[in-house]
Amino acid sequence: MNDLALLLTPEGRALLDEVRDTAPAQELAVATRLRRDHPAELVSAALGQARLRQRAAAKFGAEDAGRMFFTPDGVEQSTRARVAAYRARRFAELGVTSVADLCCGIGGDAIALARAGIRVLAVDRDPVTAAVARANADALGLAGLIEVREADVTEVDTAGYDAVFVDPARRGGRGRIFDPEAYSPPLSWAVGAALAAPRAALKIAPGIPHEAVPAEAGAEWISDGGDVKEAVLWFGTGAAGTVRATLLPGPRTLPGRGLPDPQVRAVGRYLYEPDGAVIRAHLVAEVAEEVGGGLLDATIAYVTADELRPTAFASAYEITDRLPFNVKRLKALLREREVGILTVKKRGSAVEPEELRRKVRPQGPHSATVFLTRVAGAPTMLIGSPARPSGPGAA
């Protein structure tokens, strides 16, 4: 709290601007120089905040991160700005004009909601975190739309708000928490708060079992740039019992249609690797139908097909070789084709990609992708490269 108070003074703000681009290797020399004219405590706080802002740029963008304030946990646990903006747009499209943001952290979601024109009550029980959220609302010119309150979320009256958003803490002293009832607050409390509101969204870990999703909720898995970021449970949207996967940027959304599991079939010319959000949402069957394919193995989320069909929900590869798992044979094939850039993907294999690269020692000007997987239960290597469409209009 004291560090933040120092940084919010005119001297602190000026010092933050001065150390903005300080590299880690320069910190000692910069600190030594600045302590001649500034209190040591302020210099340390400014350099620490500059380091956090540099880390936060990947989530918030350099412009916003360069004006915001962060805590170490805040950088780690806050929602990526693009994901928060997508969720805020969904709220706005539902006609929501006010949201109680419970467990607001440093304010990442509150900022996105406010930028969507939504009035926000942002609540966090930690005094430092709440102070940082308040400073961020002010720094980004959103204080008129965001009220920050330091309080226990279980004691906050949300009756006057169109919707509730809850992002329970999923990390503890020993790291990531996997049991939803060990979240802070527990998932059961968050579900109760959601059911009491006209509309609600609960942010949860993407690994939540489907059977743990309440019957009253629609479940959405979200990835950004190919990385699965979170699952969201939506209440009061008319989508109870539905499942969807959303890929950002875009957004591109794949709704579940309750399709049966795809059939296992022989390896075709093309392999499709579904996006992680599609896999988490159990929508591989929807992708398989879209591309006219089937599974390599009943337990593996790789789709194979004979034709190349466009899909936003999977990456396509053209397969040139299929080998039983054998490192010597793979090494010989890569040497013969002068492959020096080797991408290793695996699903259903215990072999680590880096271990395989060390063993085959790829050399040469060409590139290839090897999939370590199972085909009809047998350990298999599939070699290929990203598929490129041909014909009119192809790049």
Side-chain angles (χ1 to χ4, degrees), residues 80-99:
R80 188 177 292 198
R82 191 153 56 191
V83 178
Y86 162 74
R87 187 167 42 248
R89 286 196 302 272
R90 280 209 67 186
F91 269 124
E93 289 165 0
L94 291 167
V96 169
T97 61
S98 61
V99 171

Side-chain angles (χ1 to χ4, degrees), residues 296-344:
L296 292 174
D297 184 276
T299 62
I300 305 294
Y302 281 141
V303 175
T304 185
D306 298 317
E307 297 179 7
L308 180 60
R309 297 186 186 178
T311 176
F313 303 104
S315 300
Y317 295 82
E318 185 170 9
I319 299 302
T320 56
D321 300 271
R322 171 185 173 180
L323 304 171
F325 183 80
N326 186 299
V327 175
K328 288 184 178 179
R329 287 185 64 181
L330 177 63
K331 184 175 181 179
L333 184 146
L334 297 176
R335 186 186 301 116
E336 176 187 333
R337 297 183 184 172
E338 298 182 303
V339 171
I341 304 171
L342 183 65
T343 300
V344 181

Side-chain angles (χ1 to χ4, degrees), residues 54-66:
Q54 290 168 10
R55 285 174 52 198
K59 278 190 175 182
F60 291 90
E63 184 177 350
D64 278 356

Side-chain angles (χ1 to χ4, degrees), residues 228-367:
V228 183
K229 291 300 172 185
E230 63 186 56
V232 184
L233 304 183
W234 292 93
F235 295 78
T237 64
T242 63
V243 173
R244 56 193 268 164
T246 296
L247 283 56
L248 302 175
R252 301 182 299 279
T253 296
L254 179 66
R257 290 184 285 119
L259 298 179
D261 291 340
Q263 294 293 315
V264 176
R265 52 150 292 172
V267 178
R269 181 177 178 183
Y270 297 99
L271 181 148
Y272 293 86
E273 181 183 28
D275 183 89
V278 171
I279 296 172
R280 293 283 194 177
H282 295 180
L283 299 180
V284 173
E286 279 73 4
V287 169
E289 183 178 79
E290 192 171 276
V291 302
L295 297 179
L296 292 174
D297 184 276
T299 62
I300 305 294
Y302 281 141
V303 175
T304 185
D306 298 317
E307 297 179 7
L308 180 60
R309 297 186 186 178
T311 176
F313 303 104
S315 300
Y317 295 82
E318 185 170 9
I319 299 302
T320 56
D321 300 271
R322 171 185 173 180
L323 304 171
F325 183 80
N326 186 299
V327 175
K328 288 184 178 179
R329 287 185 64 181
L330 177 63
K331 184 175 181 179
L333 184 146
L334 297 176
R335 186 186 301 116
E336 176 187 333
R337 297 183 184 172
E338 298 182 303
V339 171
I341 304 171
L342 183 65
T343 300
V344 181
K345 294 176 174 285
K346 71 164 195 165
R347 194 162 287 158
S349 172
V351 178
E352 292 300 325
E354 287 304 319
E355 176 188 353
L356 184 66
R357 284 194 194 90
R358 284 195 299 270
K359 288 181 177 179
V360 300
R361 296 198 297 272
Q363 294 181 353
H366 302 137
S367 61

